[in-house]
Amino acid sequence: MHELARTNETAFYVFDVKKLKERVAYLKRSLPQDVELCYAVKANTFIIKELIGSVERFEVCSPGEAEICAGLGVPEEETVISGVNKTPDVIETMVASSDRRIYTVESMTQFELLRSLSGKYGKTLKTLLRLTNDSQFGINKSEIEEIVRNRNDYPCLDILGIQFFSGTQKTSFKKLRREISHLDELLIKLRDEYGFEARELEYGPGFPVAYFEDEDIGEEELISQFSDALCSMQFKAKISLELGRSIAACCGSYCTHIVDIKRNKGQNYLLIDGGMHHLVYFGQHMAMKHPVLSVLGKENEEICEAWNICGSLCSMNDIVAKQVLLPRVSIGDAICFENTGAYCMTEGISLFLSRDIPAVYLKKENGDFLCVRKSFETSVLNTPKY
């Protein structure tokens, strides 16, 4: 890591493949034996290939993600095509080429699209009916019941079961237990009232990640209680858990260099060549919590002073952390932020101020570093063409 910090002129990410696979193994050990994992690729597209063979499915929410997965060799039968905007032309191309993918039904409009395409191409399409969580996602319970009631009218749609996702960073087992109970009741009702034996429940529990110092989420106990609740369900068919952040976060590190040091009105400031456009989940807390970080090469040095760490954007909001205790630092030192494997590189405002996009490295299981995306200028993306 020290060598990468020396050779990279600006900020970069590192995703540790060994940590990633250890995380997947931990989740599989901790969950009921027959529960499968579905990776939400929106969390981090750079680790998809490393997860092939380790997870059972990949959730794809856009044409761009579908193209990435295809290019990386994700088997079609392991993809769940999800998302609120299933572009008709793209979905038709998928249906025309294969009947191996699974499609979620996010709206009655999407249901009609899939029904029409299945008939047009004479292909049986596997579907999951997404139950809404009282938001813009999914369809109502009554609509699910209507589809199930009339399922014989749709012979080319193979309705596998239900899909449900209600949020992220959920630390309350009581909420998870309520959700499991609610899903179980619906699945049993579909069986008892409509004779529909769902073969699958895909559930996004939104397991939390500890991003900040002294943050105790009690993960081991939470997953243990969650597993017991799954095992107590009357529904006994296949369960797959859709996870993104919980799988990816721990494998990522984000390194950024100190480019300036100053003291304004009694406050110490470190200016870095990254910022909130790269560390979205740290920046959104307005720096009131301290992310897990270290100064590369000075991990064992004595802590001596408090600093406000600020990014390169011309925005008052670009404060990564306030009053962080650090060893003696100098311009050119690199600060490494941990647990940045999910969303940081894709959900930040990366094009703001036309700063460079960071490079991305994979740390392979043998310890070697592989550059999978070079740093590049964003000015060309922000320049109008006449």
Side-chain angles (χ1 to χ4, degrees):
M1 194 82 79
H2 294 77
E3 180 62 18
L4 290 181
R6 188 185 66 81
T7 56
N8 279 268
E9 294 182 357
T10 188
F12 60 94
Y13 298 102
V14 174
F15 304 125
D16 190 315
V17 175
K18 183 179 179 182
K19 285 185 179 180
L20 174 66
K21 293 189 175 181
E22 288 175 347
R23 176 63 180 175
V24 172
Y26 166 78
L27 288 170
K28 291 198 168 187
R29 287 195 310 271
S30 304
L31 293 163
Q33 188 174 4
D34 53 350
V35 169
E36 297 185 351
L37 294 183
C38 174
Y39 176 60
V41 302
K42 60 181 176 284
N44 184 339
T45 57
F46 292 96
I47 58 176
I48 293 171
K49 189 172 183 178
E50 311 303 323
L51 287 170
I52 296 175
S54 295
V55 299
E56 285 74 26
R57 284 188 185 164
F58 296 83
E59 187 209 32
V60 174
C61 288
S62 74
E65 288 185 352
E67 185 176 345
I68 292 169
C69 285
L72 292 173
V74 176
E76 291 177 351
E77 62 271 18
E78 294 181 12
T79 58
V80 179
I81 308 302
S82 191
V84 292
N85 177 18
K86 290 182 175 65
T87 313
D89 289 345
V90 173
I91 298 301
E92 182 164 5
T93 299
M94 288 184 178
V95 172
S97 66
S98 173
D99 59 1
R100 293 183 291 172
R101 302 176 181 90
I102 299 172
Y103 299 87
T104 64
V105 173
E106 287 272 1
S107 68
M108 297 307 292
T109 302
Q110 288 189 9
F111 178 77
E112 291 301 326
L113 171 65
L114 294 170
R115 185 171 72 88
S116 173
L117 291 175
S118 67
K120 179 177 180 178
Y121 290 96
K123 294 184 177 180
T124 301
L125 302 183
K126 300 179 181 68
T127 59
L128 290 166
L129 306 179
R130 181 169 185 177
L131 174 66
T132 186
N133 63 326
D134 301 327
S135 70
Q136 73 268 40
F137 300 108
I139 57 179
N140 295 311
K141 179 181 175 182
S142 60
E143 291 170 318
I144 289 176
E145 291 184 32
E146 179 185 352
I147 291 172
V148 167
R149 182 188 305 115
N150 300 315
R151 62 190 181 280
N152 291 334
D153 296 338
Y154 321 119
C156 288
L157 292 183
D158 181 10
I159 302 172
L160 300 177
I162 303 298
Q163 200 261 11
F164 182 73
F165 178 81
S166 65
T168 188
Q169 291 293 81
K170 287 186 284 190
T171 58
S172 169
F173 170 66
K174 289 183 179 179
K175 181 173 183 179
L176 291 169
R177 183 172 56 191
R178 285 196 302 269
E179 290 179 353
I180 291 171
S181 176
H182 178 56
L183 291 168
D184 201 22
E185 289 174 5
L186 174 59
L187 289 161
I188 297 307
K189 181 178 182 180
L190 296 178
R191 182 196 67 188
D192 293 347
E193 293 191 16
Y194 306 106
F196 176 71
E197 292 277 1
R199 284 168 283 154
E200 180 172 342
L201 167 65
E202 184 181 295
Y203 175 32
F207 289 155
V209 168
Y211 282 116
F212 305 101
E213 291 179 356
D214 303 321
E215 187 175 19
D216 182 11
I217 59 175
E219 181 182 61
E220 186 173 341
E221 181 180 3
L222 180 70
I223 294 180
S224 175
Q225 292 176 321
F226 175 83
S227 297
D228 290 342
L230 287 186
C231 292
S232 69
M233 292 178 70
Q234 295 183 63
F235 173 77
K236 296 301 180 184
K238 178 179 177 180
I239 295 176
S240 57
L241 298 182
E242 182 242 305
L243 300 170
R245 185 189 315 277
S246 183
I247 289 175
C250 70
C251 79
S253 300
Y254 169 71
C255 291
T256 179
H257 306 82
I258 298 173
V259 295
D260 206 349
I261 296 175
K262 62 170 68 175
R263 184 174 179 83
N264 287 348
K265 293 191 173 181
Q267 291 286 316
N268 293 326
Y269 291 94
L270 293 181
L271 282 300
I272 56 176
D273 58 4
M276 69 175 186
H277 53 320
H278 300 163
L279 283 169
V280 61
Y281 276 98
F282 296 155
Q284 76 174 22
H285 283 270
M286 294 302 293
M288 298 309 293
K289 295 183 179 180
H290 290 173
V292 181
L293 59 84
S294 62
V295 180
L296 290 181
K298 298 184 177 181
E299 293 87 351
N300 298 320
E301 293 188 11
E302 182 181 358
I303 300 299
C304 62
E305 204 162 10
W307 294 90
N308 299 314
I309 303 176
C310 305
S312 294
L313 304 182
C314 291
S315 168
M316 293 289 289
N317 295 326
D318 196 8
I319 306 173
V320 176
K322 292 181 178 178
Q323 297 299 304
V324 178
L325 294 172
L326 296 175
R328 192 171 304 280
V329 292
S330 304
I331 292 175
D333 283 345
I335 300 177
C336 183
F337 295 82
E338 302 298 336
N339 298 326
T340 59
Y343 295 106
C344 286
M345 79 302 304
T346 55
E347 205 171 57
I349 49 175
S350 300
L351 298 184
F352 188 44
L353 262 73
S354 299
R355 293 285 186 181
D356 289 355
I357 296 286
V360 173
Y361 293 85
L362 291 181
K363 184 180 179 182
K364 305 296 284 185
E365 290 177 274
N366 64 2
D368 291 343
F369 291 92
L370 174 66
C371 183
V372 292
R373 184 183 75 184
K374 294 182 179 179
S375 176
F376 63 91
E377 297 176 353
T378 62
S379 55
V380 64
L381 301 177
N382 286 343
T383 300
K385 303 297 183 183
Y386 293 92

